[in-house]
Amino acid sequence: MTKPLEGIKIIDFTHVQAGPACTQLLAWFGADVIKVERPGSGDVTRNQLRDIPDADALYFTMLNSNKKSLTLDTKKPEGKEVLEKLIRESDVLVENFGPGALDRMGFSWERLNELNPKMIVASVKGFSDGHHYDDLKVYENVAQCAGGAASTTGFWDGPPTISAAALGDSNTGMHLAIGILTALIGRGKTGKGQKVAVSMQDSVLNLCRVKLRDQQRLERVGYLEEYPQYPHGEFSDVVPRGGNAGGGGQPGWVLKCKGWETDPNAYIYFTIQGHAWEPICKALGKPEWIDDPAYKTAEARQPHIFEIFGTIEGWLADKTKFEAVDILRKFDIPCAPVLTMKELANDPSLRASGTIVEVQHKKRGSYLTVGSPIKFSDMKPEVTASPLLGEHTDEVLTSLGYSRQDIFNLHEIKAV
Ligand code: CAO
C-alpha cells in the first residue's frame, strides 16, 4: 500500500521527546525519516531510564519507530559535508536543539535556505523567537508551567500541578507536524520552502484556551459558576485550580466506586449533562429528582452539586467502575472508568484498533508502544522498530554517492 508521505525525505535532527514525536508521526505515514545522531552516544533517551542493560531504553524506542539512524558528527568538517549533501536532497529538516545550537553549528535558516530553497525547516523551541525568555532551554514541565497548564491544574488548596500527559513535548510535536504538512502543501503551490517554528509555551497555551476564556469571564462577572469555588468559595482575580471539575458547561467529578478504599483507581468520571438530567435520575433510581425544583435545572443543582455527587457515590458503592459504566452507558450518560496503564496496555479494543501495538526490536525483544491515534480508511499505519544507533549510516552514505573507501575513512576519523 502506498502511504501518503512516501517520497518525502526528512532529516530528523531531533532528540528527547518533542521533536521525535513529530517525526515519528510523519514516518508512520510514509515519510523517509533519517535520524541524525551524534556518533557514540546518539539521542540521550537511548540511555535514559533503561530497563534492560545495553538495550535502547523504552523512552527512545517508543518515540523513534519507523526511522533510520545515521550517526554524524556535524561539528566536524567531514560531517558538515555529509549533512550538506543530505540537505540538498531532502524535503524537510526538523530540529529541537537548544536556542542557537543550529546557528552555532553553521546551519542558520539563511544557510539552509541557500543550500536548498525548497526545503522546509521546522523547529521546536521552548519559547517563540523574540520572546523575552527565548534563550531558555525547556523541558516538559517547564513548558506546562509557562503555558498556563500548571496554574490551572490540581486542587485549589494544593500547589500548581503538572499533568502526566505530555502537553509540552508530544503536543508540541503534533503542532509541528501540522505546520510541516501545511508548509509542504504550500510548497506544492509556490515551489518554495519555509521556516516553521512552534514553541512549547504556545502549544501548551493553545490547549489551555478555555482557561483564557475563563480569565476573561472572571474579570467581567467576578465568578465562574462551573468551578467548585462557586457559590460558597472565594474567587481572586485569576483563574483558580478547579480540581476535577468539568471544564465546559457540564458539571462533572471523579467519583468513588466499589473498592476505592484499597484500589487507588476504583473511580469513574461522571458528567451531568444538562439535558440528560432525566436519564441520570432514572439510572440512579431517583425519579423524584426529575421535577424537584431543587434539582430540575442546572442553576438549581449547582449550589449543592457536591451533595448530588455524594448521592451518586452512594449508588456506586456496590458497583465496580466497569459495572457502573455498563449501566450508565445505557442511559446515554457521558462517563468512563478511570483506567490504569495496565488496563490500557491489555485493552483488547486498543489492541484491535492499532492504538496499542507490540513491536519486535532487535535487542529488546518485544515491547508495547502507542501506535497512530489517527485512523484512515485507506491506510493502516504500521509501527516498526526504532533503529539501533547508526544502523543505517552506511546505507544513507551510499545513497548519497559515497564510495566504500570514503565511508571507511569517515568511520576512521569518527565523523560518522
Ligand atoms: N554532532 C555534533 N554535535 C551535535 C550533534 C551532532 N550530531 N547533535 C547535537 N549536537 C550538539 C549541538 O550542536 C549543541 O552544541 P552547542 O551547545 O555546543 O552549540 C549540543 O549538542 C547540545 O544541544 P542542546 O542544547 O540541544 O542539548 P541539551 O542537552 O543541552 O538541551 C534541551 C536539551 C531539550 C533542553 C534543548 O535541546 C532544548 O531546549 N530544546 C528546545 C526545546 C525542546 O525541544 N525541549 C523538549 C525536549 S523533550 O522534553
Side-chain angles (χ1 to χ4, degrees), residues 237-271:
D237 61 350
V238 300
V239 175
R241 291 186 273 286
N244 289 318
Q250 279 67 246
W253 203 253
V254 168
L255 302 180
K256 293 168 187 155
C257 295
K258 184 178 164 185
W260 67 272
E261 299 89 340
T262 51
D263 176 356
N265 294 297
Y267 289 82
I268 62 166
Y269 198 88
F270 190 100
T271 312

Side-chain angles (χ1 to χ4, degrees), residues 17 35 48 54 64 92 103 107 169 171 173 191 215 252 329 385:
Q17 185 174 165
K35 186 166 174 105
Q48 276 180 353
D54 302 326
N64 291 284
V92 186
D103 293 2
F107 293 99
D169 283 339
N171 167 45
Q215 183 62 37
R329 68 199 292 196

Side-chain angles (χ1 to χ4, degrees), residues 12-39:
D12 181 11
F13 227 166
T14 71
H15 64 160
V16 203
Q17 185 174 165
C22 165
T23 47
Q24 175 172 259
L25 189 85
L26 301 173
W28 287 338
F29 303 159
D32 181 13
V33 176
I34 301 167
K35 186 166 174 105
V36 178
E37 298 180 82
R38 221 189 303 223

Side-chain angles (χ1 to χ4, degrees), residues 272 277 289 295 301 304-313:
I272 303 185
W277 181 242
W289 276 2
Y295 292 89
R301 290 190 292 271
H304 59 114
I305 196 80
F306 281 95
E307 171 223 309
I308 295 173
F309 287 139
T311 306
I312 302 172
E313 281 189 334

Side-chain angles (χ1 to χ4, degrees), residues 15-16 38 72 74-75 96-98 104-105 137-138 169:
H15 64 160
V16 203
R38 221 189 303 223
L72 199 58
T74 53
K75 285 192 172 165
N96 68 319
F97 292 127
R104 289 194 292 279
M105 215 186 268
K137 289 183 174 178
V138 169
D169 283 339

Side-chain angles (χ1 to χ4, degrees), residues 277-279 281-282 286-292 295-297:
W277 181 242
E278 190 171 326
C281 297
K282 286 181 179 161
K286 285 272 180 198
E288 67 276 16
W289 276 2
I290 296 172
D291 291 317
D292 185 330
Y295 292 89
K296 202 173 159 50
T297 65

Side-chain angles (χ1 to χ4, degrees), residues 133-321:
Y133 284 153
D134 72 0
D135 57 333
L136 277 175
K137 289 183 174 178
V138 169
Y139 284 106
E140 172 68 58
N141 295 349
V142 178
Q144 289 201 27
C145 290
S151 73
T152 52
T153 301
F155 283 80
W156 46 92
D157 53 356
T161 303
I162 299 302
S163 166
L167 307 175
D169 283 339
S170 281
N171 167 45
T172 305
M174 299 305 109
H175 278 79
L176 192 68
I178 295 167
I180 291 168
L181 295 173
T182 305
L184 280 169
I185 293 171
R187 188 182 73 170
K189 294 176 182 168
T190 64
K192 290 196 303 189
Q194 59 178 309
K195 192 175 166 187
V196 180
V198 179
S199 88
M200 295 168 75
Q201 181 190 40
D202 293 357
S203 302
V204 172
L205 182 56
N206 189 29
L207 296 198
C208 292
R209 186 169 289 261
V210 298
K211 298 297 174 182
L212 185 58
R213 170 201 71 187
D214 294 347
Q215 183 62 37
Q216 295 174 83
R217 291 168 57 222
L218 183 65
E219 283 170 18
R220 190 173 300 275
V221 297
Y223 62 88
L224 298 165
E225 66 262 33
E226 76 280 25
Y227 280 63
Q229 290 82 347
Y230 177 86
H232 309 298
E234 296 268 304
F235 285 93
S236 73
D237 61 350
V238 300
V239 175
R241 291 186 273 286
N244 289 318
Q250 279 67 246
W253 203 253
V254 168
L255 302 180
K256 293 168 187 155
C257 295
K258 184 178 164 185
W260 67 272
E261 299 89 340
T262 51
D263 176 356
N265 294 297
Y267 289 82
I268 62 166
Y269 198 88
F270 190 100
T271 312
I272 303 185
Q273 206 182 6
H275 65 263
W277 181 242
E278 190 171 326
I280 289 171
C281 297
K282 286 181 179 161
L284 300 175
K286 285 272 180 198
E288 67 276 16
W289 276 2
I290 296 172
D291 291 317
D292 185 330
Y295 292 89
K296 202 173 159 50
T297 65
E299 293 71 35
R301 290 190 292 271
Q302 195 58 33
H304 59 114
I305 196 80
F306 281 95
E307 171 223 309
I308 295 173
F309 287 139
T311 306
I312 302 172
E313 281 189 334
W315 179 82
L316 290 166
D318 63 349
K319 298 167 189 72
T320 67
K321 60 186 177 183

